Amino acid sequence: MTYYVDIAAAVSGDGSQAKPFRTISEAAKRAVAGDSVVVAPGVYREYVDPANAGTETARISYRSQRPLGAVISGAERITDWKPYKGDVFVARIDNRLFGSYNPYTTLVHGDWFIATFTAHTGEVYLNGKSLYEVTSLEQVLSPVPDEASWDKDFSVYAWYTEQDSGSNQTVIYANFHGADPSKENVEINVRENCFYPSKEGVGYITLSGFSVRQAATQWAPPTAYQEGMVGPHWSKGWIIEDCEISDSKCSGISLGKYLQKSNDNKWLEWKYKDGTQTERECICLAQTEGWSKEKIGSHIIRRCNIHDCGQTGIVGHLGGVFSIIEDNHIHHINNKQNLAGAEIGGIKMHAAIDVIIRRNNIHNCTRGLWLDWQAQGTRVTQNFFYNNTLPYDYLLQGKGRMGIGEDIFVEVSHGPTLIDNNVLLSDCALRLCTQGFALVHNLIAGSLVGVGQGVNNGSITKPSPRYTPYHVPHRTEVAGFMTILHGDARFYNNIFVQKPLRQGMVEFSKEMEGNGWSDLNVLVGTQPYNDYATEEEWKAMFDGYCGMGSPASDRYYESLPVWTGGNVYFNGAKRCGKEQNFCEEREHTVTLEVKEGDGMPELVTNLYDFLPRPAVKLVCTETLGKAFEPEQGFENPDGSPICFDTDFFGNKRPENPLPGPFEKR
């Protein structure tokens, strides 16, 4: 059956095409497996709570009749603004508007959130653009540009909120800098979610062609109930496609964890166990409560435009397993810098087991892609990354103490994590506090940072290594826990290009020396792996030893080996000392420029005028071997082998391929 929805209908009907419902929620209560909901253009200011699940063979489909014509908004327009002083106006809002959830009394909080200042889950928007919350009325009256913001000029559009308990009102002061809020579109966040089931297990739903925006979402760490503006809420088989997802206070789309009542933000709330320990408990508890390949994950997010969210474009822990994230444009995430913590990125996923992330354009995010814990069977391929960092003028004041951001961060995972055929152009390309990964046929114009670091909990005098799980191959069941030894790394057929160094970045890198969590290496290339053993050197440590009774040694806790071959270095990029079968092009200077337009950006470069062709063969699963701890090959989710015989664009590679992501010059 097909239900029809049209906000422009004079009265709500029976859901037929002749007599449509006026709200999507009416259809969402009735739609069952096999049904479709078609939504006419208009702004639907409602929380849609899908009541019923589809099935693998009979999905429930929600479709915007005109692409992006139907808007699901978590905000309400506020028109009753009164002049206060100068460009500052005040609005008084009856708290009955918010029901049981008031975003202007609810603070952003949770594990791994750094409360640099008081922040509410509410926002104020002027013509669709969010203003900057401040903590006093004086800061609204005399705003100061925020140096940390990507949009420093707009950061003086400030707002402040307080409660009038006597009249049960939320009071908001806002500086509109000459704009008249009675004539402009001024909105505030009201609803916590936009399209999100209130119960678990509502699977096999398709959301297609909607614009979804402006929800008052909460911080979504891995040790808490991870909500988003849109998401499947611990179920299986969702498809979110051709949507515009924007302006969530915290996360746009959540593929994240359900509510564990005994272990929700436990590090923050109970505080006696470290967050890493409560994270391990979350994973084990989820297994006993039904987390499995049969019940959870296998979602698809494709062709979406995801932008201007405060924490993440896509977040997930445990619930995103076996999913595909493809052909999306993910950009301008955390650009206001009004939220801080260890859960920020264009995509931030824990337990990305057998997740494929391909053909996405990810740029202008504080961090591009962050794969934290259990990146096992994860493949990142054919993506274009650039400008994923903090604002440069802010950085060069020495303010980026949590690191400067990077294209890809892989943290405390045992692999196999496969990163192939990508373009990585940010100043820091990869943060590699991890092991069990392979870099194949990438163009890398940023440095490798965090090598050999970032895997301890930060105690002062006691050992505090982070034990993280690895899993039965292509399953969720935990096979074991182990610390990160580092290494177990493969670099094949990549191109490394050293970009011109900013002197401020060089000075900042010196300040980061000895940090323990994050170096700031500014030199491009594999040189951070200089002291790592080859496979032969590593195996020699075990010659003659056999189990108990062997002389004590550190051999089981030494860094794992590194494999290399077919890499090319330009502009003085630095190779590791034991590199094999490499080329260094020293005669010419390579330039790289990104030109933005519709779809994937254009890379303008002279690189292919000078690119040599080393004597290398195609790389395949057999070449890469197995990630050490899970003893799993770099293979497809179904266990079949991979041959890297196609490039970034899908062009066929010959037996003697070009290094880098592009086969054709």
Side-chain angles (χ1 to χ4, degrees):
M1 185 171 182
T2 300
Y3 293 101
Y4 293 87
V5 180
D6 190 348
I7 188 68
V11 295
S12 193
D14 58 9
S16 64
Q17 192 166 11
K19 297 179 179 179
F21 295 129
R22 292 195 76 247
T23 68
I24 305 169
S25 295
E26 291 173 278
K29 292 175 182 177
R30 293 165 174 79
V32 295
D35 288 347
S36 297
V37 178
V38 179
V39 184
V43 178
Y44 296 81
R45 298 184 185 275
E46 57 177 306
Y47 160 49
V48 181
D49 179 6
N52 304 305
T55 68
E56 188 171 5
T57 56
R59 309 179 64 80
I60 300 177
S61 174
Y62 294 79
R63 179 171 59 85
S64 174
Q65 190 177 65
R66 189 182 75 215
L68 304 183
V71 178
I72 306 175
S73 174
E76 293 288 339
R77 288 197 68 178
I78 301 297
T79 58
D80 189 21
W81 292 91
K82 306 295 184 185
Y84 183 71
K85 288 182 182 178
D87 291 330
V88 176
F89 288 74
V90 60
R92 305 182 71 87
I93 302 149
D94 192 314
N95 284 337
R96 287 177 293 182
L97 174 68
F98 305 113
S100 61
Y101 178 80
N102 186 339
Y104 304 91
T105 60
T106 304
L107 297 179
V108 177
H109 77 286
D111 287 352
W112 285 283
F113 176 67
I114 300 174
T116 53
F117 68 93
T118 301
H120 293 90
T121 59
E123 290 278 22
V124 178
Y125 302 90
L126 174 62
N127 297 325
K129 190 169 183 176
S130 63
L131 279 62
Y132 286 65
E133 183 179 9
V134 293
T135 56
S136 71
L137 178 56
E138 179 57 35
Q139 291 171 287
V140 179
L141 294 167
S142 303
V144 176
D146 186 346
E147 297 289 336
S149 171
W150 277 89
D151 190 356
K152 189 164 55 176
D153 291 342
F154 193 77
S155 69
V156 295
Y157 285 72
W159 66 274
Y160 166 72
T161 188
E162 60 188 19
Q163 291 294 305
D164 184 341
S165 58
S167 61
N168 193 30
Q169 290 179 323
T170 291
V171 184
I172 298 177
Y173 300 88
N175 192 328
F176 295 111
H177 289 274
D180 184 347
S182 66
K183 296 178 181 179
E184 309 295 336
N185 180 23
V186 179
E187 300 166 284
I188 65 169
N189 284 357
V190 172
R191 287 167 285 279
E192 192 169 6
N193 313 106
C194 286
F195 192 96
Y196 195 92
S198 60
K199 62 184 180 181
E200 300 165 18
V202 183
Y204 296 105
I205 284 178
T206 297
L207 184 71
S208 183
F210 288 84
S211 176
V212 189
R213 64 192 188 206
Q214 298 170 315
T217 49
Q218 184 55 273
W219 184 253
T223 48
Y225 165 52
Q226 283 188 309
E227 67 172 13
M229 186 163 60
V230 179
H233 191 180
W234 202 246
S235 66
K236 187 171 181 178
W238 274 44
I239 298 174
I240 302 170
E241 62 183 12
D242 301 307
C243 292
E244 181 174 18
I245 308 292
S246 71
D247 295 284
S248 174
K249 179 68 178 195
C250 289
S251 293
I253 297 174
S254 172
L255 304 180
K257 192 173 72 64
Y258 67 108
L259 175 62
Q260 295 177 335
K261 293 181 180 178
S262 63
N263 195 8
D264 190 62
N265 282 319
K266 189 174 180 179
W267 187 23
L268 177 69
E269 303 295 342
W270 194 56
K271 75 185 177 184
Y272 299 108
K273 285 185 179 178
D274 187 270
T276 296
Q277 179 63 5
T278 60
E279 167 74 347
R280 285 188 285 259
E281 291 174 354
C282 281
I283 296 161
C284 294
L285 180 60
Q287 285 220 236
T288 66
E289 295 184 339
W291 178 46
S292 71
K293 187 173 185 177
E294 288 70 33
K295 295 181 180 179
I296 302 298
S298 297
H299 308 296
I300 298 173
I301 302 173
R302 60 191 177 200
R303 301 186 302 271
C304 292
N305 180 13
I306 305 170
H307 61 93
D308 289 290
C309 299
Q311 179 191 338
T312 62
I314 302 172
V315 74
H317 179 215
L318 305 176
V321 291
F322 315 111
S323 294
I324 297 173
I325 300 172
E326 62 183 3
D327 299 304
N328 300 288
H329 186 192
I330 303 173
H331 57 104
H332 296 93
I333 302 297
N334 192 235
N335 281 185
K336 289 172 71 176
Q337 294 288 305
N338 60 331
L339 302 179
E343 305 301 328
I344 285 170
I347 302 173
K348 174 67 195 286
M349 291 194 75
H350 289 71
I353 298 171
D354 282 359
V355 171
I356 298 173
I357 301 169
R358 65 189 174 200
R359 299 190 304 270
N360 300 286
N361 178 15
I362 303 177
H363 65 93
N364 289 88
C365 303
T366 295
R367 284 196 159 100
L369 167 63
W370 191 346
L371 299 170
D372 199 352
W373 291 49
Q374 305 149 273
Q376 181 169 332
T378 313
R379 186 177 183 186
V380 182
T381 182
Q382 298 170 288
N383 301 283
F384 199 105
F385 294 88
Y386 65 99
N387 280 356
N388 294 304
T389 184
L390 300 180
Y392 287 119
D393 55 351
Y394 180 67
L395 275 175
L396 301 187
Q397 297 173 32
K399 300 288 181 65
R401 299 302 179 187
M402 290 286 289
I404 75 165
E406 60 281 316
D407 288 326
I408 301 175
F409 184 3
V410 187
E411 185 174 8
V412 291
S413 294
H414 298 282
T417 307
L418 177 55
I419 301 170
D420 69 280
N421 288 297
N422 300 284
V423 177
L424 305 164
L425 300 181
S426 297
D427 280 3
C428 289
L430 293 138
R431 185 175 300 276
L432 297 169
C433 308
T434 195
Q435 65 184 52
F437 65 89
L439 293 176
V440 182
H441 278 290
N442 300 285
L443 171 58
I444 301 171
S447 59
L448 311 185
V449 301
V451 174
Q453 293 184 302
V455 300
N456 297 319
N457 270 334
S459 63
I460 298 173
T461 62
K462 304 293 184 182
S464 58
R466 284 194 280 175
Y467 286 82
T468 60
Y470 52 94
H471 298 262
V472 174
H474 312 297
R475 300 286 306 176
T476 60
E477 290 82 2
V478 173
F481 289 82
M482 186 54 186
T483 58
I484 300 299
L485 302 177
H486 302 288
D488 196 16
R490 298 136 183 91
F491 298 90
Y492 286 106
N493 298 359
N494 301 288
I495 299 172
F496 294 92
V497 179
Q498 177 71 61
K499 294 189 295 186
L501 292 176
R502 297 180 179 85
Q503 186 56 39
M505 292 287 284
V506 175
E507 296 301 320
F508 188 21
S509 71
K510 294 176 182 177
E511 294 182 29
M512 297 294 286
E513 290 179 4
N515 179 282
W517 283 94
S518 173
D519 66 348
L520 188 52
N521 169 45
V522 294
L523 301 178
V524 176
T526 58
Q527 52 85 26
Y529 288 91
N530 263 338
D531 298 327
Y532 285 72
T534 64
E535 181 180 16
E536 294 75 19
E537 291 171 333
W538 177 74
K539 285 183 174 179
M541 291 190 289
F542 298 85
D543 289 348
Y545 294 120
C546 184
M548 284 294 293
S550 300
S553 79
D554 294 330
R555 59 187 175 274
Y556 292 108
Y557 303 96
E558 292 284 357
S559 296
L560 298 166
V562 173
W563 293 263
T564 59
N567 299 309
V568 179
Y569 297 83
F570 284 97
N571 296 2
K574 304 293 185 183
R575 62 179 176 85
C576 68
K578 298 173 184 178
E579 187 101 10
Q580 298 177 358
N581 189 22
F582 62 90
C583 289
E584 291 179 313
E585 215 291 346
R586 299 178 181 274
E587 296 182 11
H588 304 92
T589 299
V590 164
T591 58
L592 301 166
E593 180 186 359
V594 176
K595 288 191 175 180
E596 296 179 320
D598 294 334
M600 197 68 79
E602 179 184 0
L603 176 62
V604 179
T605 181
N606 61 353
L607 186 152
Y608 286 85
D609 295 336
F610 314 123
L611 181 63
R613 187 187 288 269
V616 296
K617 293 184 178 181
L618 288 171
V619 176
C620 61
T621 291
E622 184 179 4
T623 311
L624 300 176
K626 294 183 177 183
F628 176 75
E629 214 63 69
E631 301 177 30
Q632 178 182 335
F634 293 81
E635 58 199 18
N636 288 308
D638 63 2
S640 62
I642 298 172
C643 183
F644 300 91
D645 57 359
T646 54
D647 73 354
F648 183 94
F649 293 114
N651 297 314
K652 191 72 173 177
R653 285 193 168 105
E655 283 296 316
N656 177 215
L658 280 175
F662 308 118
E663 182 55 41
K664 293 186 177 180
R665 291 179 181 267

